[in-house]
Amino acid sequence: MENEIAASIEGLLLPYLEKFHTHRIDVSRGEVEVRGQVDDKETSRTRVLKVVINHDNKQICIPNIFMPEFMRQFGLGKQIIAMILDIAESHGYHLLIVDLVPSFYNRLVKRGAVVIEDGDIVLITRETDLSHKFA
């Protein structure tokens, strides 16, 4: 499942990751992480995405999703979430977004995510609107 998630993410993000000075997708048991360095300055290093897979509880958690400025406004974060939801459901897993900042938490709840822990954790379901343009 980790390799399936990494391949899907790479397929979507590769045109953007190629604009980074350096980038890498690390895959290990229970985790997929996308890191990059936007330019040649050490301060531009960033974690774009972290996905944690808890096989015992059949949960996929996303504790970190960050799009650098040049990757924003394309709906990439929501597309990533939707892709991971497809994979999660195909394996009988739940998808949780965790450690949320208040603004992202509120946006996801408005889009129909199920509150698991107030202000911090939401469950993404088929009813969650992950479209790029949200009314």
Side-chain angles (χ1 to χ4, degrees), residues 14-21 23 37-38 70:
L14 193 57
Y16 301 93
L17 293 175
E18 289 175 340
K19 295 178 182 179
F20 278 66
H21 180 67
H23 72 275
Q37 188 171 331
V38 177
F70 72 91

Side-chain angles (χ1 to χ4, degrees), residues 16 46 65-77 132:
Y16 301 93
T46 187
I65 188 164
F66 172 78
M67 297 296 143
E69 194 64 41
F70 72 91
M71 293 173 68
R72 294 184 185 167
Q73 304 304 315
F74 298 106
L76 293 172
H132 180 51

Side-chain angles (χ1 to χ4, degrees), residues 6 23 42 58 65 91 96 104 109-110 116 122-123 130:
H23 72 275
E42 289 290 317
K58 291 195 161 231
I65 188 164
H91 292 275
L96 301 163
F104 194 37
V109 170
K110 285 180 184 173
I116 300 299
V122 297
L123 173 69
L130 296 172

Side-chain angles (χ1 to χ4, degrees), residues 25-41:
I25 299 175
D26 294 320
V27 180
S28 60
R29 173 125 174 96
E31 191 171 288
V32 177
E33 190 169 36
V34 180
R35 292 181 168 273
Q37 188 171 331
V38 177
D39 54 35
D40 62 354
K41 296 179 181 76

